[in-house]
Amino acid sequence: MIFHGYFRSSAAWRCRIAFNLKGVAIEDHRFVHLRRVEQRAPDYLALSPQGLVPALELDDGTTLIQSLAIIEWLEETHPAPPLLPADPEHRALVRGFAQVIACDIHPLQNLRVLKYLREELGQTQAGLDAWCARWLGDGLAACEALVVRSGGDGRFCFGDRPGLADVCLVPQMASADRFGVDTSAMPRLRAVAAACAEIPAFADAAPARQPDAEP
């Protein structure tokens, strides 16, 4: 398999965590430098027409895009240890939480969105910071409420074993820190992120530990 990613991409980070939790090694890592706009190169667009990371080339020549689709493929082809609960209702709860992050929070902090706000709409850095604080803050507050409402008091979002929700949460909490979002009113999310940081599968997937990491 060939995995195309960028060390700071939240979406690629999710996939790295999931592969680590499953104990599945990626044979070949290809680095796509987003700030150098390598994602718009013709050869990469042939793989991923959106020009986004990650992309995963399988041995049979199929290319998968979108982090949640890649993780769902991983879950179906390597079911142990599971990232989703066995019960259909609980699976839907976890998927809903993951989609809040992957579909509603993360896209609004995406580099291409911030670039558009700056270059096309004339926003200052202060305006970009306010934009990120608003949407990341609102979204993570909803995630906190979802975890609390689930009634669980385990170490992780939905129990005592890390799963898809935690895979999505950790990169998003790091983004909140990077953009200066106040998460002090989200004690459950902060506790989960701290618990995940103690697990090698999460720690080894962190941006600073990737071969293409930059200051």
Side-chain angles (χ1 to χ4, degrees), residues 95-152:
R95 284 189 171 112
F97 180 99
Q99 289 175 21
V100 169
I101 292 175
C103 301
D104 291 332
I105 304 175
H106 171 243
L108 295 176
Q109 70 174 55
N110 192 286
L111 184 62
R112 62 179 180 167
V113 171
L114 299 182
K115 181 178 179 181
Y116 180 82
L117 290 171
R118 180 188 301 109
E119 297 182 0
E120 302 295 330
L121 300 184
Q123 288 296 312
T124 63
Q125 187 60 50
L128 299 182
D129 291 345
W131 169 272
C132 290
R134 166 65 188 279
W135 300 120
L136 272 67
D138 283 2
L140 287 172
C143 289
E144 174 81 6
L146 288 170
V147 172
V148 171
R149 190 175 72 181
S150 73

Side-chain angles (χ1 to χ4, degrees), residues 43-110:
D43 58 342
Y44 187 72
L45 287 173
L47 285 174
S48 177
Q50 276 190 295
L52 301 174
V53 296
L56 180 68
E57 293 185 71
L58 303 181
D59 294 338
D60 66 1
T62 302
T63 299
L64 306 180
I65 63 168
Q66 291 292 337
S67 62
L68 292 188
I70 291 170
I71 294 170
E72 290 269 6
W73 168 85
L74 182 64
E75 176 78 350
E76 291 169 1
T77 57
H78 299 79
L83 298 178
L84 287 164
D87 177 79
E89 286 76 17
H90 288 122
R91 290 169 77 90
L93 289 174
V94 171
R95 284 189 171 112
F97 180 99
Q99 289 175 21
V100 169
I101 292 175
C103 301
D104 291 332
I105 304 175
H106 171 243
L108 295 176
Q109 70 174 55
N110 192 286

Side-chain angles (χ1 to χ4, degrees), residues 4-21:
H4 301 261
Y6 178 59
F7 76 103
R8 195 174 281 137
S9 162
S10 295
W13 188 350
R14 293 175 206 134
C15 291
R16 293 195 301 263
I17 297 170
F19 274 96
N20 289 348
L21 286 170

